[in-house]
Amino acid sequence: MSEREQPETTRPAVTPPGSVPDTPASAPGASPPAGLRRELPAEVPPAAPRTASGRTGASEAPRKPHPPQVSQKPQASETPAADGPAEPELTGRRRLVNGLWPPRVTRAQLIVALLLFGLGFGLAVQVASTSDTDSALRGARQEDLVRILDELDDRTERLEDEKQGLEKQREELENSSDQAEEARRQTIEKERQLGVLAGTVAAQGPGIEMTIEDTKGTVESDMLLDAIQELRAAGAEAIQVNGVRVVAGTYLSDADGGVSVDGNKIKSPYRFKVIGKPQDLEPALNIPGGVVQTLEKEQATVTVERTDKIVVDALRAPKRPDYARSSSR
């Protein structure tokens, strides 16, 4: 049986270059047998020609020995890569942080936040104003605190009297057989009271007289204005200064050698006629640090006397309004 007719299973494999014996077929220029050439795989290149010494040409690089492979065994503490790194267990605080951040704000939550901010700002302003008032009272002197307390008590008493008077008028209107006549009488009485306050009618009653002697010329208009304001706060109902009626719209200014009251120049001594409760008016002027002490520091002499009858007869001409008219028919 020829070499061509042998089955492919019995054909020898390709012999490595180092094991090929030196035969005439392996000499330079000789071609390998056709059968062997045919059995070489397509991807295997033909063997390089050998030299007389049995080595390949200069183009073939010497083979380098491969370093021995060192098997690395995994340490006992290492975790197999297939298992993956273990995730730390989340604590309650960490879960809370993850739930709050990043924030998720809705429109309703934003509106509620703005409303709460406005409420908190208002409360802060109110607390700050209350703290300022408390600090001012905390730093006041004992005499000032007593004066403030007395003024509050007097105002409360006057408001209670006014309330009782209004309730009495209402009862008289409800119980009167002739309500129209009773209403007319009360209207006339109210007109007189308003005339006293406006200075258009004369008034008399208990009160005090205060005289200020200014020999040094140190009393100014603002000092007299403080005295008027103190008397009004104490419950004065009618005030007259040197023949000039003092009303709600009265103004004072400094003038040469004196003081101007509503454009009327007055000079020392300044005489005040005040109608009101004497037990309230006199202490209001003589409190520590009050009107009397302030004027005495300016080397002025102040005398205050109580009397059962004070006549305030200085009048002011009623002024007719230019545009306002009564709405009653």
Side-chain angles (χ1 to χ4, degrees):
M1 183 180 295
S2 64
E3 185 178 356
R4 296 178 179 268
E5 296 176 357
Q6 292 180 357
E8 295 181 0
T9 57
T10 59
R11 291 178 182 178
V14 179
T15 305
S19 61
V20 179
D22 294 338
T23 58
S26 62
S31 60
L36 295 178
R37 183 66 179 176
R38 188 179 297 111
E39 296 299 328
L40 287 176
E43 64 273 7
V44 177
R50 295 179 176 270
T51 60
S53 61
R55 298 182 178 179
T56 58
S59 61
E60 180 179 1
R63 297 184 179 181
K64 295 182 179 180
H66 294 283
Q69 299 293 331
V70 180
S71 61
Q72 297 181 356
K73 297 182 179 181
Q75 300 294 334
S77 60
E78 294 181 357
T79 306
D83 297 341
E87 297 182 358
E89 184 179 357
L90 297 179
T91 61
R93 180 180 300 178
R94 186 62 183 174
R95 288 196 297 270
L96 178 62
V97 172
N98 293 339
L100 295 178
W101 189 264
R104 301 174 182 86
V105 182
T106 62
R107 182 177 181 182
Q109 293 175 347
L110 182 60
I111 295 175
V112 172
L114 293 176
L115 293 177
L116 292 177
F117 174 76
L119 179 60
F121 181 76
L123 291 176
V125 172
Q126 184 176 2
V127 170
S129 61
T130 305
S131 301
D132 295 340
T133 305
D134 294 342
S135 61
L137 294 177
R138 191 179 299 110
R141 298 177 301 175
Q142 183 177 2
E143 295 82 0
D144 296 336
L145 294 176
V146 173
R147 178 177 59 84
I148 294 173
L149 184 59
D150 292 340
E151 291 180 356
L152 291 176
D153 292 340
D154 295 339
R155 292 177 183 177
T156 303
E157 185 177 355
R158 290 196 300 271
L159 291 175
E160 287 292 337
D161 294 341
E162 184 178 358
K163 177 183 176 182
Q164 293 178 3
L166 293 175
E167 290 178 351
K168 184 178 179 180
Q169 292 179 5
R170 185 186 64 180
E171 292 177 358
E172 291 177 354
L173 287 173
E174 292 176 353
N175 300 330
S176 177
S177 58
D178 191 354
Q179 295 184 358
E181 182 64 25
E182 182 64 25
R184 189 179 300 108
R185 185 187 65 81
Q186 291 186 8
T187 302
I188 295 174
E189 183 65 24
K190 193 67 175 180
E191 181 182 2
R192 292 176 181 175
Q193 295 176 2
L194 295 176
V196 171
L197 297 177
T200 58
V201 298
Q204 65 178 11
I208 63 171
E209 289 184 357
M210 181 176 64
T211 304
I212 302 175
E213 293 282 352
D214 182 23
T215 58
K216 302 294 184 178
T218 56
V219 177
E220 298 179 352
S221 59
D222 57 345
M223 300 177 185
L224 299 183
L225 180 60
D226 291 340
I228 294 174
Q229 296 291 356
E230 193 69 37
L231 291 170
R232 284 177 173 173
E237 297 176 352
I239 303 175
Q240 177 178 319
V241 182
N242 288 21
V244 180
R245 188 72 170 267
V246 177
V247 294
T250 297
Y251 64 92
L252 287 82
S253 60
D254 295 326
D256 295 337
V259 177
S260 176
V261 181
D262 287 339
N264 302 309
K265 184 178 179 180
I266 60 177
K267 296 183 179 181
S268 177
Y270 304 106
R271 294 184 175 89
F272 285 72
K273 292 183 178 181
V274 185
I275 296 178
K277 189 176 181 179
Q279 294 82 359
D280 295 339
L281 298 176
E282 183 180 4
L285 298 174
N286 290 317
I287 61 175
V291 175
V292 175
Q293 285 192 0
T294 302
L295 293 173
E296 288 177 350
K297 289 180 180 179
E298 300 295 335
Q299 299 181 359
T301 303
V302 183
T303 58
V304 180
E305 297 179 358
R306 297 184 184 184
T307 179
D308 295 335
K309 185 177 181 180
I310 296 292
V311 178
V312 176
D313 52 4
L315 304 179
R316 296 176 67 93
K319 183 179 179 180
R320 183 180 180 83
D322 296 332
Y323 305 99
R325 296 291 183 271
S326 176
S327 59
S328 60
R329 296 181 179 178

